[in-house]
Amino acid sequence: QASDRQPSLRSSGPATMLHGGADGDTLSEDGVCRPCRLGSGGNLCHIAGSQRGAHLLVGGSPHTLSSLELVYSDSLEAGGSDALPTFSIVMRRNLISYQTGRAKTRSTGVCFLPDSDNLAASCTNSGYFCLWDLAKPEPLLAQWNAHSGPLQCPTFLPAGSSELSGRLVAAGNQDNSLQMWRLGELLERKEEGHDEANPSGINVYGDSRSSGNGNGSGPRASLSGEITSALKTDLRTQKHDRRKIFDIHAQTFGDGVRLLVSQDEGYASIYNITGTSSAQPLDFQVGMKKVLSGRFHPQIQTMFAVAAEDQVLRIMDSRMNSTDACCSKVRASTSIGVVRWRPDHQDQIATSGYTEAVANTRRMNDGLLVWDLRRPAYPLHQFGGHGDLQSDFFWADTNHLISCSRDSQVRLHSVSSSHQPLRSMCCSAASWSLSTDGSEGLAVVAEDIDRDVEGATDHHSSEHELMETLRHRGFEPVVATNCRGA
């Protein structure tokens, strides 16, 4: 559905244009726009984009939680239909300044409500949740103490049914719980316009403070309802021997939703959620080391990808039992911390190195890479070149990624300007043929050097497609909603 919002460089309201520092800075090596460097100077660990509009939310340490926006200048105004649109990453607000008390600590995860351009959530290492409306002058809707220890991996469930709308899931780091908060009714009140300052004085902060007006007692929150433990469900019914969780991904499945949970000790589990409960999870033994990231396939609902600390990316089939579920492997030669399927390319997946495993190696496979599962020996695209690890990223559309890194930078990457390792290889594929009489044959595919390994990748058209995406729709969905059978 088209949106009336058209982000542009003429957007109203105060904003800080961040182009990487000095006026002499050049465009990024990926050829789209200059990076946005946050002034906090900390490690950016998490980034999320809205599905309507072009809002970004980025968090990290020591005290970084900021809202940004990807804006553009219309090519018709910049010099006609043949001119490229100009993109910039704009910082809107430092959200840390709106948090109070123990909630004002390191951000451990961010996410947007599906099909929303403004509503988002974040969690902290002190166990607090924060709900945000980025379109408001006072963006903090609510903050509450959800756990005694750190929270991580916040995820809004897609609305598989009206009953599941507005559910927020996160992992508790201390007791390895899997919390689900039923916030649908509160968010519906907000969407219906009940977003004035809390008239009844209900405490939406989850502690002893009262709602204030930003002059010492905390910012005014606009949710006219109380968030209590009665809204919480622990999806892990067992209380002992629960493995630590590193990543959560949601997918609509029939009338419900299912979660892919990446865990310690080499396990990935699928939770099927209907109503207020979940069925017994399906456990898959991926390996012996921790599974760091996992994603359902955006088109084939039985397939999912998981990356473990053993430096192998595995493509799994949920119809098979645990030991036989792996149907393809990519040996990346480094631990992969983040995996994201490429939209509209069912055979391609993007990866980034694991923060704790990568120190100062500067190897190719430590960076932001796109793999073609049909030719997994070398990456199809390589991004970066600025010498630091991209801690998190997502696909803005089928040809662009947005990443955050340990050096406090947010970057926009384009596949049309990427380094393509396969371009310099004269042999693009090889296969052995063994006959029954013991003879052997080798088939090799030889190609020209400096070819475009992905076919006709037009930089001009891809930039215009990104502009139209921001104008009419928003970033690619994080949750998987349009799946089919294998």
Side-chain angles (χ1 to χ4, degrees):
Q1 298 181 1
S3 170
D4 293 334
R5 277 188 76 256
Q6 296 187 14
S8 71
L9 291 176
R10 304 183 309 279
S11 297
S12 60
T16 302
M17 301 298 293
L18 297 171
H19 293 305
D23 294 338
D25 282 353
T26 59
L27 295 179
S28 70
E29 291 191 12
D30 300 331
V32 186
C33 70
R34 295 183 178 94
C36 161
R37 182 185 293 275
L38 300 188
S40 61
N43 178 11
L44 301 182
C45 302
H46 313 282
I47 190 169
S50 62
Q51 294 177 30
R52 293 182 182 275
H55 286 295
L56 302 170
L57 195 60
V58 62
S61 62
H63 297 290
T64 301
L65 181 62
S66 301
S67 64
L68 303 93
E69 189 173 1
L70 177 62
V71 299
Y72 62 86
S73 63
D74 198 312
S75 61
L76 294 177
E77 300 177 2
S81 58
D82 293 333
L84 285 174
T86 302
F87 294 95
S88 294
I89 300 173
V90 179
M91 180 174 176
R92 292 304 184 191
R93 277 185 288 197
N94 177 17
L95 299 180
I96 286 287
S97 61
Y98 296 92
Q99 295 173 310
T100 58
R102 294 185 62 239
K104 203 165 187 172
T105 55
R106 181 170 63 87
S107 170
T108 53
V110 295
C111 64
F112 275 88
L113 182 71
D115 297 325
S116 173
D117 61 342
N118 298 317
L119 296 180
S122 64
C123 59
T124 71
N125 66 344
S126 59
Y128 273 77
F129 266 127
C130 296
L131 289 180
W132 305 94
D133 185 345
L134 302 182
K136 287 192 165 298
E138 296 287 345
L140 182 62
L141 296 180
Q143 69 178 39
W144 71 99
N145 191 0
H147 196 261
S148 58
L151 289 170
Q152 58 189 25
C153 312
T155 304
F156 274 111
L157 299 189
S161 67
S162 58
E163 191 176 8
L164 293 173
S165 178
R167 301 289 176 92
L168 179 62
V169 174
N173 188 280
Q174 194 171 64
D175 60 357
N176 298 330
S177 59
L178 184 59
Q179 300 183 6
M180 180 174 69
W181 290 82
R182 302 184 299 277
L183 305 178
E185 182 179 350
L186 300 178
L187 295 175
E188 285 177 7
R189 292 177 188 172
K190 190 271 167 196
E191 292 287 353
E192 291 171 359
H194 303 287
D195 53 3
E196 297 301 324
N198 191 359
S200 60
I202 295 175
N203 178 14
V204 295
Y205 293 97
D207 55 27
S208 58
R209 291 176 295 108
S210 60
S211 299
N213 58 5
N215 58 3
S217 58
R220 300 179 76 170
S222 58
L223 281 178
S224 57
E226 189 174 17
I227 300 175
T228 68
S229 59
L231 299 177
K232 181 180 73 172
T233 301
D234 192 344
L235 298 177
R236 283 181 154 179
T237 55
Q238 78 277 16
K239 301 300 180 183
H240 304 286
D241 300 325
R242 301 197 287 198
R243 305 179 189 94
K244 183 178 179 180
I245 295 174
F246 296 98
D247 194 17
I248 299 173
H249 186 228
Q251 176 194 62
T252 56
F253 189 71
D255 292 332
V257 172
R258 60 181 186 172
L259 300 177
L260 176 59
V261 180
S262 304
Q263 305 166 79
D264 206 352
E265 301 177 7
Y267 276 89
S269 299
I270 294 179
Y271 289 77
N272 292 303
I273 303 174
T274 55
T276 59
S277 62
S278 67
Q280 187 70 20
L282 299 174
D283 293 328
F284 296 88
Q285 179 75 58
V286 174
M288 300 304 295
K289 296 188 176 182
K290 61 181 71 171
V291 181
L292 301 172
S293 183
R295 283 296 181 270
F296 286 113
H297 196 284
Q299 296 172 318
I300 306 174
Q301 63 181 202
T302 60
M303 307 296 291
F304 62 94
V306 287
E309 206 176 26
D310 60 2
Q311 305 184 355
V312 178
L313 170 66
R314 293 173 174 85
I315 311 302
M316 313 285 286
D317 188 339
S318 61
R319 297 170 298 180
M320 310 298 290
N321 61 43
S322 177
T323 57
D324 299 327
C326 182
C327 53
S328 181
K329 293 181 181 180
V330 175
R331 302 188 182 276
S333 302
T334 190
S335 295
I336 296 173
V338 186
V339 297
R340 304 286 187 265
W341 290 98
R342 184 178 179 184
D344 302 326
H345 292 73
Q346 65 177 10
D347 298 315
Q348 295 183 23
I349 190 168
T351 66
S352 182
Y354 179 39
T355 307
E356 295 182 11
V358 180
N360 297 298
T361 58
R362 304 291 187 267
R363 295 178 301 178
M364 178 183 71
N365 286 2
D366 297 333
L368 181 56
L369 308 171
V370 179
W371 303 83
D372 189 329
L373 298 179
R374 297 165 298 181
R375 294 180 291 179
Y378 290 91
L380 184 65
H381 299 282
Q382 178 190 7
F383 304 95
H386 63 296
D388 213 335
L389 175 73
Q390 275 105 96
S391 308
D392 195 10
F393 68 91
F394 68 92
W395 286 94
D397 67 358
T398 188
N399 292 315
H400 297 85
L401 303 99
I402 298 178
S403 69
C404 65
S405 62
R406 296 185 304 185
D407 59 355
S408 298
Q409 294 194 37
V410 178
R411 289 177 173 258
L412 174 65
H413 311 267
S414 173
V415 298
S416 61
S417 302
S418 69
H419 171 60
Q420 300 179 5
L422 286 174
R423 293 185 66 164
S424 58
M425 297 182 61
C426 61
C427 173
S428 63
S431 178
W432 283 103
S433 175
L434 305 178
S435 64
T436 55
D437 61 1
S439 60
E440 300 178 2
L442 177 64
V444 177
V445 177
E447 299 190 63
D448 295 332
I449 302 296
D450 291 332
R451 66 192 180 279
D452 190 338
V453 297
E454 201 179 8
T457 304
D458 184 1
H459 182 71
H460 183 277
S461 62
S462 68
E463 302 308 282
H464 279 275
E465 287 174 7
L466 177 59
M467 182 182 69
E468 293 302 317
T469 295
L470 298 179
R471 172 179 289 165
H472 297 298
R473 180 168 56 95
F475 296 126
E476 283 293 325
V478 176
V479 297
T481 55
N482 298 315
C483 298
R484 59 176 174 80

